[in-house]
Amino acid sequence: MRLISYLGDDDENRLGVIEGDEIVDVTRNVSAEGGRASLSPMRMLLSLPGSLLENVGALDGERIPLASARVAAVVPDPPKVIAAPVNYRDHQAEMKEDFHIDALGVFLKATSSVLASGGTVLLPYTDRRFDQEGELAVVIGRSGSHVAVEDALDHVAGYTMLLDMTMRGGEDRSTRKSFDTFTPVGPYLVTPDEAGDPNDMRLRTWVNDDLRQDADVRDLIWDVPRLISYASSVMTLHPGDIITTGTPAGIGQIADGDRVVVEISNLGRLEVDVSNRGAVACPTKGATRGPKPPEAVTPVRTR
Ligand code: MN
């Protein structure tokens, strides 16, 4: 099943199931079950006990064309966005990083940085480098603390894609990756039965006509179960939490006017525009510090 968050005519978040080229509105199925009205319907669904499929309920709501929907971030209000730094060896190599995830642990991105597919990433500064990082992300459907590796997938509601937009330099990761709009996520939550095994997924990222990232998710240093297990040993996981698994080689600079697209097998297509409108001079001085990304982009392929 593919679930989508989108905006209704009243600009409120709604929850839909994708059927063909239509969205079936199931918002009332989950809101009738209770839950705080301040939560998005997606998060209400994820917070309900029991099976996701049963909780979605009957597909007898209003249908609207998918093409005309105003898509929202797949979880508009995640409790946390947990991210893996340096979780592919080829990315470690291109960044000339001494360490990978088993020395670095995980970090947090501000939840206010989430952006819908189709949105615009706003580069905040005129004088800093910004890169794209295409990633597989997991949406948590069940709370857990100190989850065992072998139980970790029981906590997964589904998979989606995430762009971990990044300012290069020496500032803390939580600063460099948390600007508003720096976490495009979606377009759908795809349940594990339909998404398939992450080890069989292929991840590709384009910037304009260049294919920059083309990777097998099985090359993750810490795979999805290990990452969930570890993250849950640091912080209790809650329904709606997003865990993004890290980026493979092929990061590169993005600029005003670019279009960035991520595709992962069975998960659809996440696409955003990039703009520097409103950008100002950077007030912090980390530009010359931190890991050194490749100077030039070497695309895997150009159209
Ligand atoms: Mn990343």
Side-chain angles (χ1 to χ4, degrees), residues 69-136:
R70 290 189 294 154
V71 180
V74 65
V75 185
D77 50 355
K80 292 190 284 301
V81 179
I82 303 170
V86 200
N87 200 17
Y88 287 87
R89 289 182 203 283
D90 57 1
H91 176 59
Q92 181 184 8
E94 74 177 348
M95 296 295 290
K96 302 178 191 66
E97 286 263 21
D98 292 332
F99 302 105
H100 61 59
I101 186 164
D102 80 355
L104 297 170
V106 292
F107 66 95
L108 292 169
K109 297 191 72 165
T111 56
S112 44
S113 66
V114 300
L115 179 72
S117 185
T120 300
V121 172
L122 294 173
L123 305 180
Y125 304 135
T126 52
D127 50 356
R128 294 294 296 265
R129 171 174 166 159
F130 299 94
D131 288 5
Q132 102 290 340
E133 298 189 348
E135 308 192 358
L136 169 70

Side-chain angles (χ1 to χ4, degrees), residues 187-235:
Y188 317 125
L189 185 154
V190 183
T191 51
D193 57 301
E194 195 166 324
D197 184 345
N199 283 324
D200 294 331
M201 292 179 188
R202 177 184 184 189
L203 181 160
R204 287 179 293 176
T205 310
W206 288 263
V207 177
N208 305 322
D209 287 338
D210 291 340
L211 175 63
R212 287 192 182 178
Q213 300 186 286
D214 188 355
D216 291 318
V217 173
R218 77 168 66 88
D219 291 335
L220 282 170
I221 297 172
W222 279 10
D223 65 8
V224 168
R226 184 157 183 204
L227 190 55
I228 292 171
S229 174
Y230 171 74
S232 78
S233 76
V234 178
M235 46 192 122

Side-chain angles (χ1 to χ4, degrees), residues 83-86 91 107 109 133-135 162-166 168 173 177 244-247 251:
V86 200
H91 176 59
F107 66 95
K109 297 191 72 165
E133 298 189 348
E135 308 192 358
L162 189 146
L163 270 162
D164 178 18
M165 308 307 294
T166 301
R168 295 298 169 201
R173 278 190 174 85
K177 293 165 173 279
T244 190
T245 58
T247 203
I251 57 92

